[in-house]
Amino acid sequence: QPLPDPVAVMSITVRTRKFMRNSLLSRRQMVVDVLHDGKACASHAELRKELARAHNADTELIFLFNFRTVFGGGKTTGFALIYDNMKEAEKFEPQHRLRRIGKGKPKGDTTRKMKKEAKGRK
């Protein structure tokens, strides 16, 4: 499958490479390069919107992570996973990534230290 054309947003270019269809995990996975000359990198929400438009997917099914900006700026690289449906995403994605998009279980209110102190009082 050919790579989509680079998508430009406010002089920010989004390119994908190493595109792979992973049918066992029901997802498409790729490396995302964001070129942003002299500007801050786009937010994850903007990048998800652009990837959804380029790959014909729902923004809720796109997970972005591990973005690193090269020394000197201008280019940021990370990973993107586009799931076929939310059921598969909830099955395979870790809870912290699901929480980022508002789909995961909320984290407990008690910290490890609070649990240890309560245990000592019993």
Side-chain angles (χ1 to χ4, degrees):
Q1 184 176 2
L3 293 175
D5 293 331
V7 182
V9 179
M10 301 178 300
S11 73
I12 292 176
T13 306
V14 180
R15 287 195 186 124
T16 58
R17 60 186 168 91
K18 294 188 178 180
F19 181 88
M20 185 177 115
R21 171 81 188 137
N22 189 336
S23 55
L24 289 175
L25 299 178
S26 301
R27 71 184 183 196
R28 293 169 274 176
Q29 49 198 48
M30 65 205 77
V31 174
V32 179
D33 291 326
V34 183
L35 303 174
H36 48 93
D37 247 359
K39 293 180 178 56
C41 187
S43 69
H44 278 227
E46 292 172 14
L47 294 177
R48 284 171 55 195
K49 199 180 304 179
E50 289 306 313
L51 285 172
R53 193 172 63 78
H55 290 277
N56 224 8
D58 185 19
T59 57
E60 298 258 320
L61 301 174
I62 298 176
F63 293 86
L64 302 171
F65 60 97
N66 208 20
F67 275 78
R68 302 280 183 246
T69 303
V70 297
F71 180 73
K75 182 180 178 183
T76 302
T77 304
F79 296 101
L81 305 174
I82 304 175
Y83 283 91
D84 294 342
N85 55 49
M86 186 51 77
K87 182 181 172 192
E88 298 296 325
E90 289 171 351
K91 184 176 175 182
F92 295 116
E93 277 298 298
Q95 284 299 312
H96 70 276
R97 281 196 219 141
L98 288 169
R99 264 189 240 112
R100 283 180 191 169
I101 65 162
K103 295 290 181 183
K105 298 174 198 158
K107 205 169 183 179
D109 291 335
T110 58
T111 63
R112 179 180 168 91
K113 186 174 181 179
M114 290 167 68
K115 288 177 190 172
K116 295 276 187 184
E117 289 174 356
K119 181 181 169 186
R121 279 189 234 128
K122 287 184 181 178

